[in-house]
Amino acid sequence: MKKIVVLGSINIDTILNIARLPLPGETMAMHDRSIAGGGKGANQAIAAVRAGAETSFIAKIGKDHAADFMIDTFKNDGLNIQNVTEDNVAGTGKAYILLDDHGQNSILIYGGANQTITVEDIKNASETIKSADCLITEFETPLEASTEAFRIAKANNVLTILNPAPAKQNIPEELLKLTDIIVPNETEAQAITGIEVVAEPSMAQAAKKMHAMGVKNVIITVGANGSFYSQSEKSGFVNAYKVNTVDTTAAGDTFIGYLASKLDSDLSNIEEAMKFASKASSITVQTQGAQNSIPYVKDVEI
């Protein structure tokens, strides 16, 4: 069984259903409102464990009811949460999701306890990282913590996957050089490289620039169109599965969790892993919400 560690965020998602995204200064009525578990880190960890991997989570929560709700969710999925700790001051992270009738979303984030993860917290989880096959992180937690985690991982031959989300410019050079696979979407790829990603030639151009920054392997996800990969000796495109999209929340996180669960350490099966991840994501987008929409491996067939 693959052993995966995720360093990342925990949020409680408040989903606001609207006909379309509001214009500046506009007041709109909502169709509906709901609350669910979320956070990119938590979503990725749940995706990995539901994909069949032995998964550990490094994260921080507040001392509040939101934290209790999330811990119960993690326990129900069998996630190892020995490195999920409490912050005595900051509350559990929150996300406010504007979801339109076409399944597209815009998201506002309150970082809360997610932003209090320290290098010391990472050092306390070092044995968990050292024993893993793969470590995943994203940008909803402090960069210093992510970099320390990747240092420990690479010193122990652990595969590192960086999801550079939310989009960020000027990613530290050290973090990129410690990254085995970077997995941005088209918006994030443009933020990193300055190249507008609109078709496969521009994907290749953006990937080439990321290679020059020190990243050996690049996967760019482009939503309903699919995903592009680039390695030193080969590149290719994997088409997405065509489905009726209800909500794209957690689709990218599902992709990454399932990808990590399937990838061989030498990445020789990268296309197979991407197809598997794409299939899982196609199931996620057919249900509203984040963690509740992430499928179990028994429901993912390719």
Side-chain angles (χ1 to χ4, degrees):
M1 182 184 294
K2 188 69 66 68
K3 295 178 73 173
I4 294 173
V5 177
V6 178
L7 162 62
S9 57
I10 297 172
N11 291 329
I12 290 290
D13 292 348
T14 299
I15 304 162
L16 309 177
N17 297 89
I18 53 180
R20 56 173 174 79
L21 297 180
L23 300 172
E26 182 180 15
T27 300
M28 290 179 62
M30 295 181 290
H31 302 329
D32 200 3
R33 171 183 176 273
S34 59
I35 294 175
K40 293 194 70 63
N43 295 344
Q44 290 166 11
I46 286 176
V49 77
R50 289 182 184 175
E54 182 182 330
T55 308
S56 300
F57 193 23
I58 304 170
K60 219 155 195 176
I61 52 175
K63 287 191 171 182
D64 49 32
H65 292 303
D68 297 337
F69 172 80
M70 294 304 299
I71 291 298
D72 287 344
T73 299
F74 299 152
K75 288 179 178 178
N76 288 339
D77 270 299
L79 195 59
N80 182 337
I81 55 172
Q82 67 179 21
N83 292 301
V84 176
T85 57
E86 288 185 343
D87 185 272
N88 293 323
V89 179
T92 301
K94 306 287 192 304
Y96 301 89
I97 301 170
L98 304 179
L99 177 64
D100 73 17
D101 286 347
H102 301 288
Q104 295 301 311
N105 60 54
S106 294
I107 304 175
L108 304 173
I109 300 289
Y110 162 69
N114 297 316
Q115 293 302 313
T116 69
I117 297 175
T118 64
V119 168
E120 192 61 31
D121 292 323
I122 302 305
K123 290 179 178 178
N124 291 338
S126 62
E127 292 306 314
T128 300
I129 296 171
K130 290 175 183 178
S131 66
D133 296 306
C134 176
L135 170 67
I136 304 167
T137 196
E138 28 70 22
F139 286 158
E140 288 185 347
T141 51
L143 281 172
E144 296 83 1
S146 298
T147 303
E148 178 63 21
F150 272 32
R151 286 190 197 112
I152 295 169
K154 293 318 302 170
N156 292 274
N157 298 313
V158 176
L159 184 73
T160 54
I161 298 178
L162 175 63
N163 174 216
K168 186 184 294 290
Q169 298 176 333
N170 302 316
I171 301 171
E173 181 180 354
E174 181 186 7
L175 181 59
L176 289 173
K177 289 184 174 179
L178 291 167
T179 298
D180 290 314
I181 311 173
I182 192 167
V183 191
N185 64 19
E186 62 266 56
T187 302
E188 294 145 9
Q190 181 173 349
I192 295 166
T193 66
I195 297 167
E196 185 179 7
V197 174
V198 292
E200 195 165 337
S202 57
M203 295 174 204
Q205 188 181 2
K208 184 178 180 180
K209 191 163 184 177
M210 284 185 267
H211 288 316
M213 293 175 176
V215 183
K216 301 177 188 69
N217 304 278
V218 177
I219 297 174
I220 300 174
T221 60
V222 285
N225 292 317
S227 50
F228 172 85
Y229 75 92
S230 177
Q231 300 176 292
S232 59
E233 296 181 355
K234 66 175 181 175
S235 63
F237 193 88
V238 173
N239 291 319
Y241 290 80
K242 302 303 180 184
V243 297
N244 179 35
T245 298
V246 174
D247 181 3
T248 59
T249 306
D253 298 328
T254 300
F255 183 94
I256 289 171
Y258 267 79
L259 177 81
S261 76
K262 190 74 168 180
L263 269 176
D264 292 337
S265 58
D266 63 358
L267 310 187
S268 59
N269 68 334
I270 190 166
E271 284 200 23
E272 179 188 358
M274 288 169 66
K275 289 175 183 176
F276 183 59
S278 181
K279 179 63 175 180
S281 295
S282 75
I283 297 171
T284 295
V285 301
Q286 295 181 68
T287 301
Q288 181 176 307
Q291 289 160 16
N292 61 291
S293 70
I294 298 171
Y296 290 86
V297 68
K298 63 181 177 61
D299 298 317
V300 181
E301 298 178 358
I302 59 174

